[in-house]
Amino acid sequence: MSQRKIFLVFVAISTVSLLLHHGGHFSWTMEAFHLGCPAIQSHPAAGLKPKHTNVAFLKTHKTASTTMQNLLFRFAERNNLTAALPVQACSHQFCYPRSFTSHFVHPHTLPPNIITSHMRFNKAELQRLMPNDTIYVTILREPGHMFESLFSYYNQHCQSFKRVPNGSLEAFLEEPWRYYRADEKDSMYARNSLTFDLGGDKDRPTTDVAYARSFVAEVDRVFSLVLIAEYFDESLVLLRHLLSWDLDDILYVKLNMRTPSSKRSLTPGLPAKIRAWNSLDARLYDHFNASLWRQLSALGPACVAREVRLLRRAQERLMRSCFGDRMPLRPAAQIKNKELRPWQPSGKVDIVGYDLPMNLSSGFSSQAQELCLKLILPEIQYTRVLLRSQSLRYRRVYQLRPQQQSHTLQQPIRTALPRHRSPQPAAAPGPLGTRPMATSKPAAGSQSQTTKLGSKSS
């Protein structure tokens, strides 16, 4: 036998041995190859396109965005990346609903690879903060069910909702202008919430079709992918391909869900009223839902269906390994570990969370236990844990710098927000401008400014 044949036989035997060694990973890789789909990897392989690690995810409200945030936090930790986190004065959000500025970012989380906490989008500020090759991603949800969720979740916080008799969604939609005040605290939850989060004018008249079209077009230009909550798994398949990630990178557990008793069914006629009241959000959703399915079609329906199936199988295996046959999903008050209790918006809404099984430590490595814990860690607690670990890393790196260099590079740590500079006279608002509005915690001396999706915060 020639040397070349011996070499090829050796390579074939080694390849089969390696694939058999990885067991389950072999099955989903081979299934992907079977239909000519790009292979789903679970471990890095030589020659493959490297993972894209610079990602800005705009976390919208009541759209499964907390589940997506958890996925990105875990990806950052697993790959030793830096996730931008808010300064302490902003709590776990970037001083939402104020327009985002880099002053809201904790200095121990700079320079970042990933940003994913709640903010009001400001393209210019994010482009200053993030690497040039950052990929921008967000998520939308069908307006009817999203608005019902917003109304239920923020019923005791948003004044436009609080003043409705008996907390009736039907009454609000019958006469929304009777209850809604555009400039008062938390009004962004009561009308065109997605538009507001994306930096747009939530109160632009419905008749201004030119503004609506230009706003949707601008969002389309900025964001490489807009996920759709109703098709979360299919959206993750597109995300995996966009970022060259592995199957393991998109595994998740659903977080921040309400109990069935906290949800209202939409009576006939309500979805149409919700869409009319939130016409900008409805336009956004319709456009990007259609865009999602065009992208899925381009990837190939058979390939997408196969990857979704593989993703769900992998999730089932992960859930069984962490929690056994029964998922420990329960109301927050019944969760024994206080660190695993999700935030409750009011006594009228129950948000469910997870408890870890008592016997999790038996037969589990510390790494496996940590994965199971991080999968179910609520947003506020995970933000706190991540800030602590990244601050420790920052201090270690800082201590290793030469003494003379560290003196010049040291920056004061902000524990309070800086005062805003005196505002300059605002130019006439463009097609993406927003009205000034009240914020929950206005900074001393600050004033609201007209902004655009691509404008710089004052």
Side-chain angles (χ1 to χ4, degrees):
M1 187 181 293
S2 68
Q3 288 184 338
R4 185 163 182 248
K5 288 183 178 179
I6 294 174
F7 174 74
L8 291 174
V9 170
F10 174 76
V11 169
I13 293 173
S14 301
T15 301
V16 171
S17 299
L18 179 64
L19 291 171
L20 290 174
H21 172 72
H22 288 299
H25 306 320
F26 171 74
S27 63
W28 65 56
T29 302
M30 292 313 332
E31 283 194 66
F33 271 128
H34 178 68
L35 287 176
C37 306
I40 303 176
Q41 300 295 327
S42 283
H43 300 283
L48 291 179
K49 184 180 177 182
K51 295 181 183 182
H52 195 92
T53 55
N54 297 323
V55 180
F57 173 68
L58 180 69
K59 189 176 188 293
T60 50
H61 288 82
K62 310 313 300 170
T63 58
S65 63
T66 299
T67 300
M68 188 65 201
Q69 181 192 50
N70 179 279
L71 185 155
L72 289 167
F73 275 169
R74 287 183 286 110
F75 180 84
E77 287 196 288
R78 192 163 56 250
N79 292 278
N80 199 32
L81 305 173
T82 299
L85 298 172
V87 294
Q88 292 172 340
C90 289
S91 185
H92 64 289
Q93 304 178 350
F94 288 110
C95 286
Y96 184 86
R98 293 168 62 181
S99 184
F100 176 79
T101 168
S102 57
H103 294 306
F104 298 161
V105 181
H106 197 291
H108 287 181
T109 65
L110 296 172
N113 305 101
I114 286 174
I115 188 166
T116 177
S117 299
H118 274 306
M119 69 171 74
R120 188 175 187 208
F121 189 71
N122 184 325
K123 184 178 74 170
E125 283 289 311
L126 277 167
Q127 287 179 334
R128 275 181 44 189
L129 174 72
M130 300 297 292
N132 291 335
D133 66 343
T134 296
I135 289 179
Y136 290 81
V137 179
T138 189
I139 185 168
L140 308 180
R141 184 181 177 188
E142 189 276 319
H145 290 97
M146 186 188 75
F147 193 77
E148 181 277 323
S149 183
L150 287 165
F151 190 88
S152 171
Y153 197 85
Y154 295 108
N155 196 269
Q156 299 303 303
H157 298 272
C158 175
Q159 293 299 318
S160 298
F161 294 157
K162 283 186 73 173
R163 61 174 59 97
V164 181
N166 301 316
S168 169
L169 177 60
E170 290 81 2
F172 177 86
L173 291 168
E174 192 66 33
E175 299 180 278
W177 287 110
R178 179 178 178 181
Y179 309 106
Y180 176 71
R181 307 289 185 273
D183 296 329
E184 71 184 1
K185 180 178 180 291
D186 292 340
S187 67
M188 62 281 177
Y189 300 129
R191 193 180 191 205
N192 289 314
S193 173
L194 295 172
T195 299
F196 181 87
D197 288 352
L198 285 160
D201 182 357
K202 64 184 174 63
D203 295 302
R204 183 67 61 144
T206 304
T207 54
D208 194 344
V209 177
Y211 174 81
R213 287 174 177 165
S214 65
F215 182 71
V216 170
E218 175 70 1
V219 174
D220 211 349
R221 280 191 295 270
V222 172
F223 288 86
S224 298
L225 177 62
V226 176
L227 292 77
I228 298 295
E230 287 75 23
Y231 309 105
F232 193 69
D233 290 350
E234 290 84 354
S235 296
L236 287 181
V237 168
L238 289 178
L239 182 74
R240 189 191 79 76
H241 284 268
L242 176 66
L243 302 177
S244 299
W245 284 7
D246 301 333
L247 180 71
D248 292 348
D249 295 324
I250 58 173
L251 298 178
Y252 67 92
V253 168
K254 292 180 181 180
L255 298 174
N256 208 35
M257 296 184 297
R258 292 174 294 161
T259 58
S261 61
S262 297
K263 299 178 181 179
R264 312 167 189 231
S265 58
L266 297 178
T267 56
L270 279 189
K273 290 180 179 179
I274 290 173
R275 286 180 63 90
W277 176 244
N278 299 276
S279 60
L280 286 170
D281 281 5
R283 184 180 284 266
L284 280 167
Y285 180 83
D286 291 347
H287 175 88
F288 287 105
N289 184 39
S291 174
L292 178 90
W293 287 100
R294 284 195 298 271
Q295 294 175 73
L296 291 170
S297 178
L299 186 58
C303 290
V304 172
R306 182 62 59 94
E307 288 204 22
V308 167
R309 189 158 57 249
L310 296 175
L311 169 61
R312 291 172 180 170
R313 284 183 197 166
Q315 300 224 130
E316 289 173 4
R317 286 196 293 269
L318 179 60
M319 295 304 98
R320 282 197 301 271
S321 66
C322 282
F323 310 112
D325 293 329
R326 296 183 63 185
M327 281 291 289
L329 188 66
R330 58 199 63 181
Q334 298 178 17
I335 297 175
K336 297 176 182 178
N337 186 340
K338 293 182 179 180
E339 285 301 306
L340 295 178
R341 292 178 185 171
W343 180 72
Q344 302 296 297
S346 73
K348 296 184 177 182
V349 180
D350 287 327
I351 305 299
V352 294
Y354 302 87
D355 235 342
L356 286 176
M358 299 297 293
N359 62 348
L360 178 66
S361 58
S362 59
F364 273 74
S365 67
S366 58
Q367 187 176 8
Q369 290 180 50
E370 184 178 4
L371 170 60
C372 296
L373 174 64
K374 295 292 177 64
L375 274 169
I376 61 175
L377 200 58
E379 174 184 3
I380 296 175
Q381 291 91 318
Y382 206 155
T383 300
R384 189 165 59 238
V385 167
L386 197 53
L387 178 59
R388 187 182 305 125
S389 66
Q390 291 188 166
S391 291
L392 288 172
R393 185 175 65 186
Y394 175 89
R395 292 188 182 102
R396 283 197 301 268
V397 171
Y398 179 75
Q399 289 170 357
L400 292 175
R401 290 174 179 166
Q403 193 65 33
Q404 65 276 17
Q405 186 181 17
S406 66
H407 178 74
T408 59
L409 293 178
Q410 185 173 9
Q411 296 181 356
I413 297 175
R414 297 190 188 97
T415 56
L417 294 179
R419 290 189 178 183
H420 283 204
R421 297 185 295 274
S422 298
Q424 299 298 317
L432 302 179
T434 58
R435 289 184 180 181
M437 67 164 290
T439 62
S440 55
K441 292 184 180 179
S446 69
Q447 296 183 15
S448 298
Q449 293 286 305
T450 299
T451 60
K452 297 180 182 180
L453 181 65
S455 69
K456 182 179 177 181
S457 175
S458 61

